[in-house]
Amino acid sequence: MEYLPTSETQDLFFISNQTSNLLTSSPKITMTYSILITNTRKPGTTPEEFRNGCEALIPFIKEMAGEHFPLSHTRHYIQRTESPRGEGNSELNPTTPAIVIMGKQADADWDSISELVFADELAFKAYIDTLMEPNNWARLQERESKVVDTEKSKIVVVGEALVTKKN
């Protein structure tokens, strides 16, 4: 089912259409399908409020998506410290800088990165279509907008993933 894009649904509508294009060009789907999402907290929201708000969304999304919920939904939250406004702190995080090992504070202005793993592209498409149902989308946006600055959110498809283990 496709919906006409509005200012609120345009990005997910684009994702849904892009996925449809991928599906028609993929003759055989045999691997899992993963996406990465970066989210940034709304101004005035503490890192703890952001984490708590995002975690409260998960059971809601899981119930809404039902059988279409991903195989896994892993969330990583950027470790931040409390500090006075200081040189090198970013505009978005003037008192809660990330612990940056390489790069600048401004490179780490997002607050979480999530990996969603689906059985295949079809499963991802079913998940997106379920979220985009008008009633679901409105309810999700209402809750998410309390803590997430959705204008700064980004979603990308993961390509090949290679893992090296100690043993």
Side-chain angles (χ1 to χ4, degrees):
M1 177 179 273
E2 291 187 356
Y3 304 96
L4 293 176
T6 66
S7 59
E8 293 181 349
T9 62
Q10 195 165 16
D11 289 340
L12 278 181
F13 180 79
F14 176 76
I15 291 168
S16 184
N17 283 339
Q18 289 297 99
T19 303
S20 294
N21 294 339
L22 288 171
L23 292 173
T24 58
S25 65
S26 301
K28 185 175 180 185
I29 300 169
T30 57
M31 299 173 40
T32 59
Y33 188 85
S34 301
I35 62 169
L36 295 176
I37 304 170
T38 60
N39 282 318
T40 301
R41 68 186 190 278
K42 285 185 86 161
T45 304
T46 68
E48 183 178 5
E49 291 168 337
F50 174 78
R51 183 192 176 285
N52 292 341
C54 288
E55 290 304 307
L57 283 169
I58 300 304
F60 172 74
I61 293 170
K62 192 170 183 179
E63 180 181 327
M64 185 187 327
E67 67 180 321
H68 302 300
F69 191 77
L71 298 173
S72 66
H73 188 306
T74 305
R75 294 158 308 284
H76 298 274
Y77 295 94
I78 301 302
Q79 186 171 348
R80 298 198 174 277
T81 60
E82 295 288 327
S83 73
R85 289 183 182 266
E87 178 120 0
N89 290 4
S90 70
E91 184 179 325
L92 289 176
N93 291 290
T95 61
T96 54
I99 298 175
V100 177
I101 295 172
M102 182 180 276
K104 299 175 279 208
Q105 280 298 321
D107 296 337
D109 270 341
W110 43 276
D111 292 282
S112 70
I113 186 164
S114 301
E115 180 182 28
L116 283 65
V117 178
F118 299 87
D120 53 36
E121 290 178 53
L122 290 171
F124 169 72
K125 174 105 170 77
Y127 175 74
I128 291 297
D129 287 348
T130 300
L131 293 185
M132 286 187 61
E133 290 176 10
N135 186 46
N136 287 347
W137 184 246
R139 291 172 35 222
L140 178 60
Q141 286 299 100
E142 177 188 343
R143 292 176 184 217
E144 187 179 51
S145 68
K146 292 177 182 175
V147 293
V148 176
D149 184 346
T150 56
E151 293 290 318
K152 292 186 173 80
S153 296
K154 295 173 181 53
I155 303 174
V156 296
V157 175
V158 175
E160 183 178 31
L162 305 174
V163 177
T164 302
K165 295 184 178 185
K166 185 175 181 174
N167 295 326

